[in-house]
Amino acid sequence: MKSLIDKLERENTLSKEEWITLLESKIDTEYLFERARKVQSENYGNDVYIRGLIEISNYCKNDCLYCGIRCSNKNVKRYRLTKEEILSCCKNGYELGFRTFVLQGGEDKFYTDDLMCDIIKSIKKNHPDCAITLSIGEKTKETYQKYKNAGADRYLLRHETADKKHYQSLHPEKMSFENRQKCLFDLKEVGFQVGCGFMVGSPYQTSETLAKDMLFIKKLNPHMVGIGPFISQKDSPFKDMKNGSADKTLIFVALLRLMLPNALLPATTALGTLLEDGREKGILAGANVVMPNLSPKFAKENYTLYDNKLSTGCEEASHLLELKKRIEKIGYKIVISRGDYKERRK
Ligand code: 5AD
């Protein structure tokens, strides 16, 4: 299906029918990845941005069927980081060369708006040259505005799936498909750099739901898109479901690069969990971001979204050096920079 890949590269969009045709065809991945790398290098050269991930809490009020930290999982040792612990992760990360910190966590009421804003302001005070990304779930527009006013720059909220029925099959009844999408548009209106995303190979996913994902992402036009394979978690209702495929995830990274040429696309932890060289392969398929984990050991051990979650801790300089070498080996380089979204050059 070279012609559809070429069309996507040329026009940055396909119709729903074209997406389905493309997704159901045998894709020449060598060709696809080569086109994706070309577009990536036109926009970002050989630069790879790093984000320091800090998993602030594994308490969550939600009960997503796929997730290991869902509220009804009684086998999780729950923890939350204090403001001081978060600031200390940032200080360590800053010294290592990180200029973006991603605070990610379950939906945890402990972090009131006031506390979150205080944490954001303190990080900005200590590290004014750094960007702050939040990934703490669905909030009201007012709360998002408060985070923004406090100095947060970016927000990640995966849309999970753009098909309502599929969404309902992955989430309990009381979670709202409409509200999740509304949050993403609110975040944009508030002025965040916004990231959405989905799992590849989640239960009940079809070419049609995936086509809808691509159309939704096109419409939202986010700055970032995070995708990774679904990986089953032993305590969750989806414990016996098949894992998503790493190869299919790589195909979607490349397709996203062609659809959104200047997006920030991470080679995600889930991809690195399924493939030893998943991050390198992600970059070679068009990704330009990696997110090493800066969380303290006890947090990393218990932030168990899925089984065998990779923990490329970069809290130690030696680990970061190792990652740098791996990226250089494939012809790219990690840069010390906030790594903001770049408007299109051509
Ligand atoms: N496999 C892969 N990804 C998962 N996530 C949650 N549970 C799993 C799983 N079992 C992803 C979701 C969520 C993000 C933080 O992690 O897409 O938005």
Side-chain angles (χ1 to χ4, degrees), residues 66-67 104 158 160 180 199 229-231 233 270 305-306:
Y66 44 83
C67 185
Q104 183 172 89
R158 289 193 177 177
E160 308 298 356
R180 193 135 191 116
M199 295 178 283
F230 162 74
I231 302 175
Q233 200 283 335
L305 303 179
Y306 44 83

Side-chain angles (χ1 to χ4, degrees), residues 10-26:
R10 224 174 31 244
E11 301 178 14
N12 309 122
T13 188
L14 293 179
S15 70
K16 186 171 168 196
E17 291 66 35
E18 287 169 330
W19 274 119
I20 293 175
T21 305
L22 179 58
L23 296 176
E24 295 191 340
S25 70
K26 171 128 185 52

Side-chain angles (χ1 to χ4, degrees), residues 284-304:
L284 292 171
N288 61 340
V289 172
V290 285
M291 298 170 67
N293 201 322
L294 294 179
S295 310
K297 189 158 176 285
F298 69 90
K300 250 188 246 155
E301 283 169 1
N302 296 299
Y303 199 78
T304 44

Side-chain angles (χ1 to χ4, degrees), residues 228-250:
F230 162 74
I231 302 175
S232 69
Q233 200 283 335
K234 61 180 172 16
D235 302 308
S236 73
F238 289 167
K239 64 178 188 309
D240 297 320
M241 297 290 192
K242 209 164 106 244
N243 284 349
S245 125
D247 289 336
K248 194 160 176 185
T249 305
L250 293 170

